[in-house]
Each structure stands twice: as C-alpha cells, then as structure tokens.
Amino acid sequence: DPARKTEVVLLACGSFNPITNMHLRLFELARDYLHETGKYKVIKGIISPVGDAYKKKGLISANHRVTMAKLATKNSDWVEVDDWESCQSEWLETLKVLRYHHQKLLSADVTNSLQDAVPLTKLGRKRKQEPNRHDPIKKKNQGPDVKSVPQVKLLCGSDMLESFGIPNLWKLEDITEIVEKHGLVCISRAGNNVQKFIYESDILWKHKNNIHLVEEWIPNDISSTKIRRALRRGQSIRYLVPEEVRAYIERRRLYSAESEARNAGAALAPLQGTAAAP
C-alpha cells in the first residue's frame, strides 16, 4: 500500500564543538524534505556527540558538548540528545552508533508488540473457530498508515559525505552498510556539487536511491570552527548559537587558545594505526 509511510529516526553524529544553529537547522530541513516526499514520517531526531577518544584537535570535553546540545534542544519536541556514544571509553565508528540506535528501536518495538499481544491470549479459544484467523492482527496505538519498525537514517552535511573519499577515514564496508541498510540524508548548499561526488563513487552510485539529497536554499554558513575563532578573538557569537549555549560558553569560558591546542599532536582516532601504511 503506497499510502503507508515509513517511520524515520534521523541520527546526527559529530563533534558539536559547540553545537550551532546550523546543526539544528539540518534536522528541520531534513524533516521537511522527507515529509514532502509523502513516503516518510519523521518521528525523532537524535544528536550523538562524539566521545573524547576521537582526538580531534580543539575538541573540548564530551561532558560540556553534551550539556550544550541538551540546552540547545530543550525546546524541541522531536530532537533529543543521546550520550551513549560520548560515554564510551574508546572511539566508535559511526556505523556502530547507527546499529546501536537501530537495535534500541527494534527492542522497543518487540516490547510494544508483547504488551499489545497480552489481551489477545484471552481471545485465543474464540479466535480458533474464526476462518480468517491468519489475518495479521493490527497493533494498537499504530495508525493505519505507518509501517512498523522505524528506519534510522544518518543525517549529515555535504562535508561528511565528501569525507567518505578521504583515504583511511572510513572503512569501505562501513560506508556500504550505512547506505545499503540505513540510508543517508545529506543537506547541501544550493549549488554544492554533491551529485558529482556521488556519481564519481561506485558504491554511492549503486545505492543512490538510499541517499536523500536536500538542497538548502537559505544559506547557513555557520560552522563550529568559525564560532571557536570568534570566541578566541573575543567577538560576539550571539544569534549564531542558541542563547543558552552562548551563556553556558561564556560562564565557563570554554573556548580559548588553550582549548584549541588540545590534541594538537594526536592522530584522529580513525586514522590511528594507518600512519605507518605506505
């Protein structure tokens, strides 16, 4: 039935160092786009900040980054922050985070089905005499037009998609499983040539139907890097990040020349161990 919509959970992984209005806009743009296709119903957005073991230059503690993300989404009725990834002692590949959230939804779905099935056992005897007992039993609380287990799609900007091309940063089998089993929603600036990048990659081209390209017609060029630069120079970042995030950064004086030098000599976690490779 083409009228049935697939439920989608949007997962954004990254540093969020700090979270900005642009990060929050990605969720809104993706949801609007998916709803406009008429095929999907976005039920949740998840922000999953990377852990400290990622070892990115200038990465401040996960505790602060998670707190800021929570402040930023306090007023959202559908985007939330999950700290599971940031609490891990070692760095996790994005695919593992996707799998974790997919698994979590599966187990929640099983629990719901079991709860829904309880009253049906009482009807067991009567049901046996009914000729059409093989008809699927409609689950309670599930509207007629929604398919059951939600898909977890990775939400990203064009920079993340293009990072698939950086040697050793991603495993080819991980990229394959992400686009094949889950899917990507990529927000790119109008005029940004993401299509060309997909065309030039065999693996992305093969699964291009599972890559949703969303054009951002209202340019938003706020990046965490630029926010940190402004802060180091004592310039205002008001209206670029949520007000509570700005206040939090100011109270704790989070970004400085010192914080920017953190992990300066370290290799990025995905690249550790590949440095010796030819």
Side-chain angles (χ1 to χ4, degrees):
D1 177 5
R4 281 161 56 131
K5 293 181 183 173
T6 304
E7 289 190 339
V8 170
V9 171
L10 292 168
L11 172 70
C13 296
S15 304
F16 300 100
N17 184 38
I19 193 165
T20 71
N21 287 346
M22 178 209 56
H23 291 128
L24 301 167
R25 275 297 293 159
L26 295 182
F27 281 95
E28 299 294 322
L29 288 160
R31 181 169 74 157
D32 282 349
Y33 171 87
L34 288 173
H35 285 178
E36 281 161 19
T37 66
K39 295 182 207 163
Y40 301 99
K41 179 180 196 293
V42 176
I43 56 167
K44 197 199 305 196
I46 300 171
I47 290 173
S48 180
V50 76
D52 293 330
Y54 189 54
K55 292 281 183 245
K56 192 174 181 181
K57 186 179 177 296
L59 194 64
I60 67 162
S61 92
N63 180 28
H64 284 311
R65 293 182 288 109
V66 167
T67 303
M68 289 188 287
K70 284 181 175 169
L71 288 170
T73 51
K74 210 171 63 177
N75 298 325
S76 174
D77 57 357
W78 70 285
V79 181
E80 58 188 52
V81 180
D82 191 286
D83 64 359
W84 177 78
E85 179 186 359
S86 68
C87 288
Q88 305 301 307
S89 52
E90 64 231 31
W91 167 74
L92 286 182
E93 288 97 335
T94 299
L95 175 59
K96 288 183 179 160
V97 185
L98 262 172
R99 280 183 189 156
Y100 165 82
H101 285 288
H102 178 68
Q103 223 22 72
K104 207 168 144 184
L105 286 163
L106 283 180
S107 39
D109 196 69
V110 168
T111 316
N112 291 343
S113 312
L114 289 173
Q115 284 167 349
D116 291 348
V118 172
L120 297 174
T121 51
K122 294 187 181 118
L123 303 170
R125 232 171 255 118
K126 177 173 177 261
R127 198 170 280 283
K128 280 194 182 76
Q129 288 126 37
E130 290 172 12
N132 60 350
R133 65 179 182 275
H134 295 300
D135 287 1
I137 298 152
K138 180 141 270 138
K139 279 174 31 180
K140 273 197 327 230
N141 314 329
Q142 192 187 309
D145 61 341
V146 172
K147 291 179 191 167
S148 57
V149 185
Q151 293 181 356
V152 185
K153 294 194 181 296
L154 189 62
L155 172 62
C156 65
S158 47
D159 52 347
M160 184 196 261
L161 185 70
E162 287 173 8
S163 80
F164 285 173
I166 298 172
N168 301 319
L169 192 59
W170 295 82
K171 295 181 189 147
L172 188 60
E173 61 267 31
D174 280 17
I175 295 174
T176 307
E177 191 174 325
I178 289 170
V179 291
E180 196 174 347
K181 299 220 162 49
H182 301 281
L184 278 176
V185 182
C186 176
I187 315 285
S188 71
R189 245 153 251 134
N192 188 320
N193 222 336
V194 186
Q195 272 107 333
K196 182 173 182 284
F197 184 79
I198 291 172
Y199 163 74
E200 287 172 357
S201 155
D202 288 343
I203 194 71
L204 296 180
W205 182 261
K206 184 181 174 189
H207 299 288
K208 64 180 186 294
N209 295 339
N210 228 353
I211 302 174
H212 302 272
L213 292 183
V214 184
E215 291 218 65
E216 181 176 19
W217 291 103
I218 305 174
N220 182 344
D221 204 21
I222 307 166
S223 71
S224 299
T225 307
K226 292 175 182 176
I227 297 289
R228 294 196 304 274
R229 182 180 295 139
L231 288 164
R232 283 200 308 280
R233 296 174 182 178
Q235 295 167 339
S236 164
I237 58 164
R238 199 184 285 260
Y239 313 120
L240 299 176
V241 304
E243 186 53 23
E244 299 216 19
V245 171
R246 187 198 63 77
Y248 183 88
I249 291 171
E250 196 171 280
R251 275 199 309 278
R252 286 170 176 71
R253 300 191 173 89
L254 289 186
Y255 294 99
S256 60
E258 292 74 56
S259 74
E260 201 57 17
R262 276 187 69 172
N263 302 325
L268 207 57
L271 301 175
Q272 283 172 21
T274 59

